[in-house]
Amino acid sequence: MPARTTAVPASEAEGQLGGTPSLQFNEPLSWRAGKQIPVADLLRRLQALSKEMQELEQEEIEPASLTTVAKELASPNLLAHKDKGVKALTASCLVDVLRLCAPDAPYTGQQLRDIFNMIITQILPALADTSNAYNNQHLYVLNSLAQVKSIVLLTDIPSSDTLTRNVFQICFDVLSGTIKELPREELQKNVEINMTQLLVSLVDESATLPPEVIDIIVAQFLRMDPRAIAGVSGKGKRNGIQLDEKQSLLVLKQLPPAYNMAKYICNACPEKMARYISQYFNDVIVDASKVSASAGADKSKRRHSDDLNDSDDEYALGPTEEDLRELRKVHGLLRELWRACPAVLQNVVPQLEAELSMENVQLRLLATDTLGDIISGIGAAGVPTPPALDPSAYPPNTLAKTPEDTSSFNLLTKPSSSQPFPHTHPQAYSNYLGRRHDKSPLVRSTWTTGIGRVLTTSAGGAGLSQQEEDRLIDDLGRMMGDADEKVRIAAVKVVNSFTFRDIIWKLGRSGGVAKPGSVLATLAERVRDRKHTVREEAMTVLGRAWGVALGEIAANNEQVISLMGGAPSKILDTYYTNDPEIMALLDSVFFKQLLPLAYPPIKPRNSKAVNGNSQRTKESQGADQEPVTADPDKIRTERILLLLRSLDERAKKVFFTIQSRQLVLSKVMNAYLARCEDYNGGVMDENEAQVKEHLTRLIKNLAGNLPNPAQATADLWKFAKMHDRRSYQLIRFCMAPESDYRTVFKANKEFTKRIADATSSTTASSSLLGTLSLLLYRVSLIVYNKSHVPAIMAFSKSDENSLAGTAHEILREISLRTPEVLKAHVQEICKYLQDNAPSSTKSNDAGALDNLKACASFASKYGNEMPKDRKFLQAMTSFALFGTPPEAAKYAVSVGWAVSDRKDLLAKNLVQKCVKDFRYGADGFLSRLATLSQLVLLAPEEVEGDSDAITNIAIKQILLQVRQPANVSSRIYEWSETADDECLAKCWALKILVNRTRSHPTLETLSEVATSVYNLLYLLVHHEGELPSVKGTPPGHRSRLRLLAARSYLKLCTKKSLDPFLTPDAFNSLATVAQDGEQPVRAGFMQRLKKYLGQQRLPQRFYTIPFLLAFEPSDELRSDTVTWIKSRAVVFSSSQAQQTSSSKANIVMESVFARLLSLLAHHPDYDSDAEDLIDFARYIIFYLRSVATEENLSLIYHIAQRVKQCRDAITPAEAATGTDHLPSYDDRLYHLSDLAQLTIRKYEDVHNWNIQTLPAKVRLPGSLFSEIKSHDDAQRIAERSYLPDGVEQGVDELVRASVRAGRSSHGKKRKSDSGEQLGREHKKAKSLPIRKSEAKKQEKKSSGAVTKLRKTKRAAETQEEEGYAREKRRSGRSRAAETSYVERDSDEDDAEMRLMDQGNTAETDDDGGGGGGGGSNASDADLQSDADNADHQLRNGSENANEEVVAEEEEEDEQEEKEAPPAPPKEKVAQKKPPQKPRPKRQKKPPRAAKTANNNNNKTRKKQPAASRNAAAEDVFDLPSSPG
């Protein structure tokens, strides 16, 4: 190639002036020293030359004619002239010379250096000043250099690196506006285009580029980062550029020109730039790798024991902080380079991939983070702003396509990737995915965050295949179950970064919250994570996701409902953990995500609006839509109903418990506020000690349910010392039933602001606001607010969005818990009932039942505010006679009784109408029975005159009749999901007899009435729901009647005067209902038993019955019962720890062990062979696992020994001897005593405990045990071992298997309730049925027992209750001298009933239908009593969620067929495995079907007098008394 810089001699040029046109300009442009041309003349000449040359083309002029002009233009006089115009015109002429003479420039190398130096340093920078007078000349120079590519002559100049660097530096400075001497102005687009073309030509033609040029180009990509700092260099040795802070404003909407130019250069010259950039990054990355490698080599030389601290060494060794800072800058550039020009990184990605495998964790962490962002198309500006998932937004989000919000669009952070990284670099992508197995949790958490960004950005917009996306979603779900909490919380946060559509359409592909293994299901499991930070994040994200999905849920979108519908249940289910920290978190999520206080964020209707105009709001989809009326109360109510409808039964109990808790806590809070006023900030004139003592107790109870009781106590004392009366009033506003929702919300908001201001302006603790805010959530009347009642009633009538059933449900709860809020609406409800009263020809609508129940609850407290006019009472009478279902009649009686001024006349009138011409099957006969059942309870004296007629209807016309023939079936006893009229009639008849006994007005005749009713109940329980004189009872009737009879037993025994009528023998028969063959019967009975025991309404002997569930085949019922027992044990233990004096109630769960052994001795399945005794050991192990601790095991062992020192007192003396097959009941006790002692010793050995000798002697119940009068007999019994061979080995294996299963439930992978179970490894153990069959018993006994459902080995052994964290208590041995272990006798149990019977004289039915006079609010004089009662409820209720879940007056009678509710378990905070399917049952004895009706009617137990059991007379009052 000829040289382009050769100078042509003048003589040679003159010879070439043939016929080709030559340059016409002939004026001199140079001068001698001292003969300078005037500037004006010089400018004129240069302008003329420039004009002429611009019009010439290369083919139209002889190059030789330019020699003189070219020489003069290159003279120092012009190049260094002081005038800017001269320089501009000179440069314009010079670029024309270069253009016309191309490709050979008529200059030497030095001349070209001077020319380009002037152009680069003077002309190009002047382009930044668009107001310059010579701007056109400047633009012309730039355009010529770019278009003609004269700039490439720089590459021919020796040592031109400086010029090359300067041209790049100045061009980027001009475009970025960073030239300080010139003002920053908007440049023309052609400047950017020409400069870009100029630099591209220079890069393309240069053999090499100076490293500084690469620095300058690469640095432009940092302009996308507003946080960019000065200079990007390799190892800090190269010159960097200063980025202007104003660039952050420039690049919000558009890319900066300098960035575009650098991007274009890289994309136009990918091969060269790839080589340069690879070398650029190699300087930093390779150097850091060498440091890491050397550090790894040093570490390998250390002592082997240092491997324990590898993670620490990784942070201690490796790159220095300076190296890491440089690495972070470089990796930030890599992100932006991939986003702008991915082709230049083809040689850098392998280096980055190598970092993934480096020993140093910081390098791996940085490489993992960078690759994740590169795949996601995230540049140096960082991740985009996450979507705003606002659960309180209105209107709610939908899946419909909506316009993007351009107001928040930021081009800087918008993910963008022009190439799909997985396809361009598959090996690096595969290695990146392998980081999910990295040993460092920091790397795994960063990797998890990275794949979340890949999913949300669809790989930077490049897209992912379905397979790749599904794989990443599965990996995200696995990361939520990682062993390290940092990884789990990172995975949860990833879900929070998804948009609503992505949650449904991407994450939802793997399944919803109810599908095990899906991402959403795993997220739901994390709400019970063992780490609070993970729980908090997971619960918040899950609640927020459901709140955002509410719009689609309300629209009945089946896809969204299936995916997110179960989320609230998962959240509320955490309540059962009884962990104060979790419950506090639940309250926060409940009132911030599920039911935000600020929802909806629109103002309510203006009550003062003229012409009824209400406030209107526009839908967010477009302003062209018609405005719609917005009622915030209705919108909020709909959200409450949607939430309640989405809950399962367990979660519904929690929902209603949260509302019930408000009632209890509000009493304590009212008392606390009153005492704060008395405390007066610490300044008191009188009663100082009393006020402080009561305030201390109240604060202790309020703080006891908070996560940090000590800190909460300090905060509550600080609040009391602040003595802010306005805050007191604001809290009262939040709790008052009279406050509407807006008042509650504004009071809450003002209170929060006042406390926040007080905290910031004083020395008050920063935790004060958190403590008080949490308490304010719990005491505020938010859900059961009076503002919601009209909307609830409207939904119940219109069934809008199918919410009528849910509206009725919550209306019932409001009427039961807080009837005060119905004051403003009760007249409307009564008017509705009055207008829809039924008659003999017209029935009432379905909603009348709920309205009647609401009125009944309201009337029981505020009867004076109910209407008392004749029409309303007539309507109630019509409901009482013709209301459907029958429960409506019962509630109508309660309402009428509460509001009537002539209660006696009302009662007599109703009785006469019900009794007169009563006939089964007549219109309204069920309603009449329900009316009678309620009247005998509410008005016993008024109806006593008609008692004979009432009992005649109940007994002869109903109970002793069988109108429906039994179905042809092999089963004589089964559960039916529905009850026909005959079954319902018998249930109501039985309730009539029971209610008459409960409210019997005359104590003198109580014994006669109670004995007959108890005898009737005994027959129904013992004969499985069929009276001996009544044959052919349908199987479905028998199960319901047996359940009702058992529940009636419990209800009667809640009264002190009626409990003694339940003899020990009848109690044993009642206990077998817990082992009934039908699960609904067992569950319904246990639910009621646990309820009454939790409310302390039953004597202690009833605590024996739950331990019969050792072989319960229902996993849920068994697990819940175990948890309930443990919770009650904790309650009694806490009560013992709080008391200073000895109390017999302290050892309730321990002393019940003697009663359990007596019950087992009289169990119909008892047998003395080794195999059966090993089975019975399971009952003892079940008791020990639920009750025994290291502290009380000695007492339990002592009780087991004492049983062997007594005789059985239940069985008559003549029946106490044994038979050929079975031992006497005394011997049974001794068998079980030895078995219990053996089991306890094995249990002690496995746990490494130590049984101590007790100094006191425990007295056993006199009703169950009697003294052995003969010393010789006592000595003989004590010395004899009653256990057959083989029992000890079987018990040992059983105990060890049980303990192993229990310990595994505490492990990292916790077993579920249906998982590993008691005795799975006991090969010889067989499964004990719930009750043994009759056929097998007949072989060993002359009298049979009722056949019960059997439990298979796998189903019996595969459920193990979860362990619970026991609080270490002070050993009972150290308190032996001051603790009494004497158990009360049956006579002493009567004393216990005194407290239970208080207030029961006028007790109504348990379903809340009872009536009474009008009530009034508690006065200030009752404040102390209310607070004490609330304190008691908090102390007893906080240990077990079950006692908060059940209502004080629950709906018991109207839904007996549905009631089999589990008690809330106190579970470990961990993930549960799905329940396993029970294995097929192995029948030890013939099944129930083999049993005939003759067995039921003719066979009796040996211990019972045969003559007294089956002689049922026509009249119930002629029936024999209960046995014993």
Side-chain angles (χ1 to χ4, degrees), residues 833 836-838 844 848 852 874-883 888-889 892 927:
L833 293 173
N836 293 273
N844 56 272
L852 281 168
Q874 287 178 345
M876 293 300 101
T877 301
S878 298
F879 275 107
L881 298 177
F882 305 104
S927 300

Side-chain angles (χ1 to χ4, degrees), residues 851-1072:
N851 290 326
L852 281 168
K853 185 170 184 180
C855 286
S857 299
F858 182 84
S860 64
K861 294 185 178 181
Y862 305 100
N864 293 332
E865 300 187 20
M866 295 285 292
K868 299 178 181 295
D869 57 280
R870 183 178 179 182
K871 290 185 178 180
F872 181 71
L873 289 177
Q874 287 178 345
M876 293 300 101
T877 301
S878 298
F879 275 107
L881 298 177
F882 305 104
T884 55
E887 288 79 7
K890 180 182 65 174
Y891 291 125
V893 173
S894 299
V895 174
W897 180 261
V899 303
S900 176
D901 294 330
R902 300 294 301 274
K903 292 181 172 57
D904 53 344
L905 293 179
L906 175 66
K908 292 178 180 180
N909 180 43
L910 286 175
V911 170
Q912 291 176 2
K913 291 182 178 181
C914 291
V915 173
K916 184 179 179 180
D917 299 330
F918 179 86
R919 181 175 56 84
Y920 177 86
D923 292 340
F925 80 102
L926 289 176
S927 300
R928 295 186 181 189
L929 290 174
T931 298
L932 291 175
S933 71
Q934 196 70 359
L935 285 173
V936 297
L937 180 68
L938 299 177
E941 295 180 356
E942 288 79 359
V943 303
E944 185 62 25
D946 298 298
S947 60
D948 292 341
I950 295 174
T951 55
N952 179 68
I953 292 174
I955 300 297
K956 293 184 178 181
Q957 297 190 42
I958 305 297
L959 288 176
L960 296 181
Q961 301 295 326
V962 178
R963 295 176 173 83
Q964 178 182 347
N967 296 329
V968 179
S969 174
S970 59
R971 302 188 64 184
I972 62 174
Y973 182 86
E974 64 183 2
W975 180 261
S976 175
E977 295 298 330
T978 58
D980 53 33
D981 286 351
E982 182 181 1
C983 182
L984 292 175
K986 289 185 177 182
C987 291
W988 284 113
L990 190 59
K991 292 174 186 178
I992 291 174
L993 301 177
V994 172
N995 286 347
R996 180 171 180 264
T997 305
R998 294 170 61 198
S999 62
H1000 194 70
T1002 307
L1003 294 178
E1004 291 76 10
T1005 60
L1006 177 61
S1007 177
E1008 178 184 357
V1009 174
T1011 300
S1012 300
V1013 173
Y1014 270 73
N1015 185 49
L1016 174 65
L1017 296 177
Y1018 176 84
L1019 293 175
L1020 289 173
V1021 170
H1022 182 66
H1023 293 280
E1024 293 189 325
E1026 185 177 54
L1027 294 175
S1029 62
V1030 179
K1031 309 301 181 185
T1033 304
H1037 293 190
R1038 296 181 64 174
S1039 59
R1040 289 181 177 274
L1041 288 174
R1042 191 184 196 213
L1043 174 60
L1044 180 59
R1047 286 179 154 183
S1048 299
Y1049 259 144
L1050 300 178
K1051 187 179 295 185
L1052 290 169
C1053 290
T1054 58
K1055 293 180 67 69
K1056 179 194 72 172
S1057 58
L1058 297 176
D1059 179 66
F1061 292 97
L1062 182 63
T1063 63
D1065 194 21
F1067 177 85
N1068 292 341
S1069 181
L1070 173 65
T1072 60

